[in-house]
Amino acid sequence: MRFMETPDTPENAAENAAATAEDHPGRSTADHSGEPGAEATGIAAQDWDTAAADPQYRAAVVDLLGALAYGELAAFERLAEDAKLAPTLEEKAELAKMASAEFHHFERLRDRLAAVGEQPTEAMEPFAAALDGFHRQTAPSDWLEGLVKAYVGDSIASDFYREVAVRLDADTRGLVLQVLDDTGHASFAVEKVRAAIEADPRVGGRLALWARRLMGEALSQAQRVVADRDALSTMLVGGMADGFDLAEVGRMFSRITEAHTKRMAALGLAA
Amino acid sequence: MRFMETPDTPENAAENAAATAEDHPGRSTADHSGEPGAEATGIAAQDWDTAAADPQYRAAVVDLLGALAYGELAAFERLAEDAKLAPTLEEKAELAKMASAEFHHFERLRDRLAAVGEQPTEAMEPFAAALDGFHRQTAPSDWLEGLVKAYVGDSIASDFYREVAVRLDADTRGLVLQVLDDTGHASFAVEKVRAAIEADPRVGGRLALWARRLMGEALSQAQRVVADRDALSTMLVGGMADGFDLAEVGRMFSRITEAHTKRMAALGLAA
């Protein structure tokens, strides 16, 4: 399968994204060989038309775009809902702004699906149960939980987009990086949460548990998707000549979890 | 008061907006003298700095921008909420798109308040009770009610923006017309509602009552605002040399109601 010729796993893509990423002076720079821009090989060097000639690669990208599109639409819905918890109109507007940004991401992903001849709804539907399940299990009970969720969700999404970008053909990667460029609207949440913890340190303990629960639920739903969508999962881990490598999926989740843990610690939420 | 030198009432601004607007060949074209572009006089010929030197005009415009900003933010919230009722992802995306557009309108209005040195939240707060009350009283119980509400709300808002635009200084009018230009995203709702009535004519009777209730509740809340906000109300009706003219407010509401009734009839919702 052609799409297995993807570059090396970007071991520290997610770590680099963490606010608290430490330097690893002893680590070989060979780890970075998989990053696009340096020296694109395999799928990364191909355009969509060439790469999509492989039906399994095509199916994997359609799955990916469908999952991301549904994720963005669901994020729009939940952020709009959680904005109701805001204590002031300014703060409501901040979360509403994030919601609106997610909607525009959804539009781009949906339009891309249509442009490659896919029915967007059909591509999105396989991921509805997992994403709806995540949001149902993690409905914030107050504004601070909503803020932490907005920040955690935005950060995990960024890490995931960054992880997956290096697996993609040049055209799909361009779209994913465009959407990624427009994330990060949740930084306002960091200050608010920090201020709330300073005002009442007990808040920190409660929110630390909440952040852990968010990550746990995200991983649980992600495992569900991995189990169901073989082509997508194989692509996500860079493909394996001898078939799907569950351990590599685990390592990708570990990198994202590690980055999450560092971000939470930086926020004063080390539980 | 300088802001009373506004042009004549645009008798048929709202009527022209109605999908079913009939021609009135016998009507004098003098009615159109108040429309901007033709021959701007009074406030319409002034820029913001000149017009805002009159503290009562300034207060009225701040009220107006605050009311519109809160209205757009509330519309964002409700449309995002009502999008949950959508039977398909495509339809959900249509309502979410409207919600996102309303949010961008809110941003423009809020930024304008800030640009003229006002605290947006303070300007918006006096209108929260009326607008929240409207939405609380008119929460759709199903998708078709949500569609009718989206269409009715969008149309009434357009009529109101058009009515008010001719009362404004050139700078504020420019902003209001920009926002107005970006409305009309609800046309998709018209087809859906029409198709539902064709499929089951009894639906028409129920939705006709619903549309009447929406308009009734909107008028009821608008009366509340009129009673509370004297400067705004006086400006809305073009100002009266001898004080506030309640009858003229009534005529403006009548024009908007008439346009609404015609639109509903065109939609097959004549109850």
Side-chain angles (χ1 to χ4, degrees):
Chain A
M1 283 174 293
R2 196 176 305 132
F3 77 88
M4 289 177 172
E5 299 158 22
T6 45
D8 292 336
T9 306
E11 286 290 333
N12 44 9
E15 280 183 31
N16 288 343
T20 56
E22 299 154 32
D23 287 322
H24 296 282
R27 181 176 284 189
S28 160
T29 51
D31 285 349
H32 294 274
S33 61
E35 286 176 3
E39 190 196 336
T41 54
I43 283 289
Q46 295 175 19
D47 64 9
W48 165 252
D49 287 336
T50 310
D54 177 341
Q56 202 168 346
Y57 177 77
R58 188 192 164 86
V61 169
V62 169
D63 258 15
L64 176 69
L65 295 176
L68 296 180
Y70 195 90
E72 296 284 2
L73 187 58
F76 159 82
E77 270 193 291
R78 300 308 309 195
L79 287 165
E81 174 80 26
D82 297 347
K84 289 181 195 159
L85 299 166
T88 68
L89 284 175
E90 284 97 340
E91 286 165 303
K92 178 179 285 191
E94 291 277 14
L95 224 55
K97 184 182 179 172
M98 279 187 71
S100 183
E102 312 293 9
F103 180 73
H104 295 309
H105 299 163
F106 157 76
E107 285 185 309
R108 284 196 197 182
L109 294 158
R110 178 199 59 192
D111 292 350
R112 177 68 186 162
L113 280 163
V116 301
E118 296 291 329
Q119 219 290 314
T121 302
E122 276 172 31
M124 290 160 70
E125 262 161 6
F127 306 98
L131 284 154
D132 289 350
F134 170 74
H135 287 298
R136 201 170 38 243
Q137 296 295 329
T138 60
S141 65
D142 64 18
W143 173 240
L144 283 173
E145 289 191 0
L147 281 180
V148 169
K149 182 173 175 183
Y151 176 56
V152 166
D154 205 53
S155 307
I156 293 179
S158 294
D159 287 349
F160 180 73
Y161 274 66
R162 207 173 280 111
E163 284 270 351
V164 82
V166 294
R167 313 291 180 200
L168 297 169
D169 64 276
D171 295 319
T172 310
R173 186 174 64 243
L175 170 69
V176 163
L177 293 178
Q178 267 179 8
V179 172
L180 179 63
D181 263 357
D182 188 49
T183 56
H185 295 295
S187 47
F188 79 96
V190 172
E191 286 169 51
K192 302 275 178 192
V193 172
R194 215 171 253 150
I197 297 172
E198 261 167 46
D200 179 2
R202 285 168 307 175
V203 165
R206 175 167 72 84
L207 292 180
L209 289 174
W210 170 245
R212 221 200 285 164
R213 203 178 122 210
L214 288 171
M215 192 69 212
E217 192 61 37
L219 287 171
S220 152
Q221 298 294 349
Q223 296 289 2
R224 194 167 159 184
V225 171
V226 164
D228 282 358
R229 312 298 293 185
D230 204 66
L232 174 61
S233 307
T234 305
M235 183 189 70
L236 287 183
V237 297
M240 289 295 137
D242 48 355
F244 180 61
D245 181 354
L246 199 62
E248 180 49 32
V249 177
R251 283 191 289 276
M252 183 183 78
F253 287 163
S254 291
R255 287 192 294 276
I256 292 179
T257 305
E258 223 175 283
H260 163 78
T261 307
K262 285 183 182 175
R263 270 191 303 265
M264 291 305 103
L267 193 53
L269 296 185
Chain B
M1 284 175 291
R2 195 176 307 132
F3 76 88
M4 289 178 172
E5 299 159 22
T6 45
D8 292 337
T9 306
E11 286 290 333
N12 44 8
E15 280 183 30
N16 288 343
T20 57
E22 299 154 32
D23 287 322
H24 296 282
R27 182 176 284 189
S28 160
T29 51
D31 285 348
H32 294 274
S33 62
E35 286 176 4
E39 190 196 337
T41 54
I43 283 289
Q46 295 176 18
D47 64 9
W48 166 253
D49 287 336
T50 311
D54 177 341
Q56 202 168 346
Y57 176 77
R58 188 192 165 87
V61 169
V62 169
D63 258 15
L64 176 70
L65 295 176
L68 296 180
Y70 195 90
E72 296 284 2
L73 187 59
F76 159 83
E77 269 193 292
R78 300 307 310 195
L79 286 166
E81 174 81 26
D82 297 347
K84 289 180 195 160
L85 299 167
T88 68
L89 285 174
E90 284 96 340
E91 286 165 303
K92 178 179 286 191
E94 291 277 14
L95 223 55
K97 184 181 179 172
M98 280 186 70
S100 184
E102 311 294 9
F103 179 74
H104 295 309
H105 299 163
F106 157 75
E107 285 185 310
R108 284 196 197 183
L109 294 158
R110 177 199 60 192
D111 292 350
R112 177 67 186 163
L113 280 163
V116 301
E118 296 291 329
Q119 218 290 314
T121 302
E122 276 171 32
M124 289 160 71
E125 262 161 6
F127 306 98
L131 284 153
D132 290 349
F134 170 73
H135 287 298
R136 201 170 39 243
Q137 296 295 328
T138 59
S141 65
D142 63 18
W143 173 240
L144 283 173
E145 289 190 1
L147 281 179
V148 169
K149 183 173 174 183
Y151 175 56
V152 166
D154 205 53
S155 307
I156 293 179
S158 294
D159 286 349
F160 180 73
Y161 274 67
R162 207 173 281 111
E163 284 270 352
V164 81
V166 295
R167 312 291 180 201
L168 297 169
D169 64 276
D171 295 319
T172 310
R173 186 174 65 243
L175 170 69
V176 164
L177 292 178
Q178 266 179 9
V179 172
L180 179 63
D181 263 358
D182 188 48
T183 56
H185 295 294
S187 47
F188 79 96
V190 173
E191 286 169 51
K192 302 274 178 194
V193 171
R194 214 171 255 151
I197 297 172
E198 261 167 46
D200 179 2
R202 284 168 308 174
V203 164
R206 175 167 73 84
L207 292 180
L209 289 174
W210 170 245
R212 221 200 285 165
R213 202 178 123 211
L214 288 171
M215 192 69 212
E217 192 61 37
L219 287 171
S220 152
Q221 298 294 349
Q223 296 289 2
R224 195 166 159 184
V225 171
V226 165
D228 282 357
R229 312 298 293 185
D230 204 67
L232 174 61
S233 307
T234 304
M235 184 189 70
L236 287 183
V237 298
M240 289 296 138
D242 48 355
F244 180 61
D245 181 353
L246 199 62
E248 181 48 32
V249 177
R251 283 191 288 276
M252 183 183 78
F253 287 162
S254 291
R255 287 192 295 276
I256 292 179
T257 305
E258 222 175 284
H260 163 78
T261 307
K262 285 184 182 174
R263 270 191 303 264
M264 292 305 103
L267 193 53
L269 296 185

